[in-house]
Amino acid sequence: MLKINRLSLDEARTLIAGARTKAVEIGVPMCIAVADESGNLVAFERMDGGKVTSVFIAQDKAFTAAGAKRTTESYGLASQPGQPAYGISSAIGGRLVVVAGGIPVIIDGEVVGAIGLSSGTPAQDTECAQAGIDSFLGSFHSS
Amino acid sequence: MLKINRLSLDEARTLIAGARTKAVEIGVPMCIAVADESGNLVAFERMDGGKVTSVFIAQDKAFTAAGAKRTTESYGLASQPGQPAYGISSAIGGRLVVVAGGIPVIIDGEVVGAIGLSSGTPAQDTECAQAGIDSFLGSFHSS
Amino acid sequence: MLKINRLSLDEARTLIAGARTKAVEIGVPMCIAVADESGNLVAFERMDGGKVTSVFIAQDKAFTAAGAKRTTESYGLASQPGQPAYGISSAIGGRLVVVAGGIPVIIDGEVVGAIGLSSGTPAQDTECAQAGIDSFLGSFHSS
Amino acid sequence: MLKINRLSLDEARTLIAGARTKAVEIGVPMCIAVADESGNLVAFERMDGGKVTSVFIAQDKAFTAAGAKRTTESYGLASQPGQPAYGISSAIGGRLVVVAGGIPVIIDGEVVGAIGLSSGTPAQDTECAQAGIDSFLGSFHSS
């Protein structure tokens, strides 16, 4: 029998809160999604002013990062013309996102979930996603 | 120009918290979604143990209740065999849900959003959705 | 070579205007769609206050009535449990609508397009759809 | 409670009329869609001869420009190979369009809706979309 480690709702909230704090700091209202290790949504918040299109993209970034166990940014590099994963962005009905902003949450080498952000530039989305993870890992390792 | 009232993220959290409190009380881990008046997701939480299928159904209940300005339960009645809305449950790619658990949030006669729950029986989903609305309306009118 | 008769945009506007006049009269803000004989959208209007879910359903009613050359209401009867078209409502990804409110526009026995309404009860949707057709046929035959 | 400004149907018609006038001037029959600030369709017209594929693309351009609060043309630049949003064109089931011709309608710094055109070259689509916005803003600010 497999024993799976999975983010709890409380942990998902910690991830979102960390990302939101950074989003407020840089002044970009974000859509923030947290998926579990199976890619299924655990929690989501659209900050007031977050983009409608990002409601979907943030969720799909979290889905992609959890399901593929890698950052969506790494897929962006791997799917450039001529690269091995070229064309992967339209997989799974377009749910596989290759734009930066989705990052897996890794504990002891194991993916336990992922966070995905959208509404800013991909660099801003990534910065806030990483802030969420840093905040979570800080609270996790001190607990 | 039309002037629209829309739930804020803080208000969506109040709705979710009210529904969650009731869900804890009845012992059913729920998926809880809040959509704005246009049907787009504002916030979502899957309580630990909430169902994977309900991740989608809760969101679609909130979408339906907001977009159609009525409870999903009322659609269940109206879409029984021989009734006027028979067959409506497969509309919009199946996103239109006719199972109880989605309720619009109405302020001064205007739909400003909706809450949708899934993971329990439709009656339990409805009970928790209504608890969320009651909690929100209580805080709203006293503010 | 086939010679096809197809509603023009001007004729679609006449259909919409006729339906809208009736909608105003009965006090229900409607989503009104007109498709051509191939089921493709020619014109659409969402009256202020029309439902978001109806944006999709009105279009699909027009698509169904044009493509299947029959009223969506007739499909509702034919798709009841035990009837020959039972289950047809989920065809074409759910775009085939079996709820009343979609009516083909027929000239000399030939379907040249269709009108679909949504936001009221199916009876109200049908009443307004028929008003649009009556208005169009009146102007067409007198021209 | 958030206070949102949204295009009315009358305003959507003004946008379409302005775009159509330009389309007639340059001799290209267009599909013209107007979405509200949440990306939901308000009005649509396919000029006689407009392309069937454009029925969908025009709507999705309006959806994208409203939902993402930016021109679809800007996404075209940002999603070139090697650019940050590379691969975004398949997001949301392909509804996110990165081809020019979708422009948000902005009043006092706030996106209140968007217009999307398709059937010409992207440059022609953009020219007509902008003509619709210019016509609307002229009538809006003089009213």
Side-chain angles (χ1 to χ4, degrees):
Chain A
M1 194 65 56
L2 304 180
K3 305 294 179 185
I4 305 296
N5 288 309
R6 172 179 294 170
L7 288 174
S8 69
L9 173 54
D10 274 347
E11 292 166 334
R13 283 185 191 141
T14 300
L15 281 154
I16 288 180
R20 190 177 54 228
T21 297
K22 176 61 73 179
V24 169
E25 186 185 314
I26 66 172
V28 179
M30 290 281 185
C31 290
I32 311 171
V34 174
D36 66 19
E37 95 299 335
S38 293
N40 291 310
L41 192 65
V42 178
F44 172 88
E45 286 194 357
R46 172 161 47 124
M47 295 168 66
D48 297 338
K51 296 177 179 175
V52 165
T53 44
S54 294
V55 169
F56 304 92
I57 296 170
Q59 292 188 56
D60 287 346
K61 284 182 179 175
F63 164 75
T64 299
K69 305 183 183 188
R70 58 190 288 181
T71 65
T72 55
E73 185 170 19
S74 74
Y75 258 133
L77 298 172
S79 65
Q80 293 294 320
Q83 295 301 310
Y86 177 68
I88 198 71
S89 67
S90 49
I92 317 177
R95 289 194 69 199
L96 197 147
V97 181
V98 305
V99 178
I103 306 181
V105 181
I106 301 175
I107 301 289
D108 296 334
E110 189 188 357
V111 173
V112 297
I115 185 169
L117 275 88
S118 181
S119 281
T121 65
Q124 290 172 327
D125 297 345
T126 300
E127 180 184 9
C128 294
Q130 189 59 54
I133 288 180
D134 292 346
S135 172
F136 167 67
L137 292 181
S139 71
F140 184 78
H141 289 127
S142 66
S143 68
Chain B
M1 198 67 58
L2 305 180
K3 306 293 180 187
I4 307 293
N5 289 308
R6 171 178 296 169
L7 289 174
S8 69
L9 173 54
D10 275 347
E11 292 165 334
R13 283 185 192 141
T14 300
L15 282 154
I16 289 179
R20 191 176 54 227
T21 296
K22 176 61 74 179
V24 169
E25 186 185 314
I26 66 172
V28 179
M30 290 282 186
C31 290
I32 312 170
V34 174
D36 67 19
E37 92 300 332
S38 291
N40 290 313
L41 192 65
V42 178
F44 173 88
E45 285 195 358
R46 174 161 46 123
M47 295 167 65
D48 297 338
K51 297 176 180 174
V52 166
T53 43
S54 294
V55 169
F56 304 91
I57 296 171
Q59 292 188 55
D60 287 346
K61 284 182 179 174
F63 164 74
T64 300
K69 305 182 185 186
R70 57 189 288 181
T71 66
T72 55
E73 184 169 21
S74 74
Y75 259 133
L77 299 171
S79 65
Q80 293 296 318
Q83 296 301 311
Y86 174 68
I88 198 72
S89 65
S90 45
I92 315 178
R95 289 194 69 198
L96 196 147
V97 181
V98 306
V99 178
I103 306 181
V105 181
I106 301 175
I107 301 288
D108 296 335
E110 186 188 358
V111 173
V112 297
I115 185 169
L117 275 89
S118 182
S119 282
T121 65
Q124 290 172 327
D125 296 346
T126 301
E127 182 185 7
C128 294
Q130 189 60 52
I133 289 180
D134 292 346
S135 172
F136 167 67
L137 293 180
S139 71
F140 185 78
H141 289 126
S142 67
S143 66
Chain C
M1 196 64 58
L2 304 180
K3 304 295 179 188
I4 305 296
N5 288 308
R6 172 178 294 171
L7 288 174
S8 69
L9 173 55
D10 274 347
E11 291 165 335
R13 283 186 192 141
T14 301
L15 281 153
I16 288 180
R20 190 175 54 226
T21 297
K22 178 60 74 178
V24 169
E25 186 185 313
I26 66 172
V28 180
M30 290 282 186
C31 291
I32 311 170
V34 174
D36 66 19
E37 95 300 335
S38 293
N40 292 310
L41 192 65
V42 177
F44 172 89
E45 286 195 357
R46 173 160 47 124
M47 294 168 64
D48 297 337
K51 296 177 179 174
V52 165
T53 43
S54 294
V55 169
F56 304 91
I57 296 171
Q59 293 187 55
D60 287 346
K61 284 182 180 175
F63 163 75
T64 300
K69 305 184 183 187
R70 56 190 291 182
T71 65
T72 55
E73 185 170 20
S74 74
Y75 258 133
L77 298 172
S79 65
Q80 293 294 319
Q83 294 301 309
Y86 177 69
I88 198 72
S89 66
S90 47
I92 318 177
R95 290 194 68 197
L96 196 147
V97 180
V98 306
V99 178
I103 306 180
V105 181
I106 300 174
I107 300 290
D108 296 335
E110 187 188 359
V111 173
V112 297
I115 184 169
L117 274 88
S118 181
S119 282
T121 65
Q124 291 171 326
D125 297 345
T126 301
E127 182 183 9
C128 294
Q130 189 59 54
I133 289 180
D134 292 346
S135 173
F136 166 67
L137 292 180
S139 70
F140 185 78
H141 290 124
S142 66
S143 67
Chain D
M1 197 68 57
L2 305 179
K3 306 293 180 187
I4 307 294
N5 288 308
R6 172 179 295 169
L7 288 174
S8 69
L9 173 55
D10 275 347
E11 291 165 335
R13 282 186 191 138
T14 300
L15 282 154
I16 288 179
R20 191 176 53 226
T21 297
K22 176 61 72 177
V24 169
E25 186 185 314
I26 65 173
V28 179
M30 290 281 186
C31 290
I32 311 171
V34 174
D36 67 18
E37 91 300 332
S38 291
N40 290 312
L41 192 65
V42 178
F44 172 89
E45 285 194 359
R46 173 160 47 122
M47 296 168 64
D48 297 338
K51 298 176 180 175
V52 166
T53 44
S54 294
V55 169
F56 304 91
I57 295 171
Q59 292 188 55
D60 287 346
K61 284 182 180 175
F63 164 76
T64 299
K69 305 181 184 187
R70 56 189 288 181
T71 65
T72 55
E73 185 170 21
S74 74
Y75 260 134
L77 299 172
S79 66
Q80 293 295 319
Q83 295 301 311
Y86 174 68
I88 198 70
S89 65
S90 47
I92 315 177
R95 292 194 69 198
L96 196 147
V97 181
V98 306
V99 178
I103 306 180
V105 181
I106 299 174
I107 301 288
D108 297 335
E110 187 188 359
V111 173
V112 297
I115 185 169
L117 275 89
S118 181
S119 282
T121 65
Q124 289 171 327
D125 296 345
T126 301
E127 180 184 9
C128 294
Q130 189 59 54
I133 288 180
D134 292 346
S135 173
F136 167 67
L137 292 181
S139 71
F140 185 78
H141 289 126
S142 67
S143 67

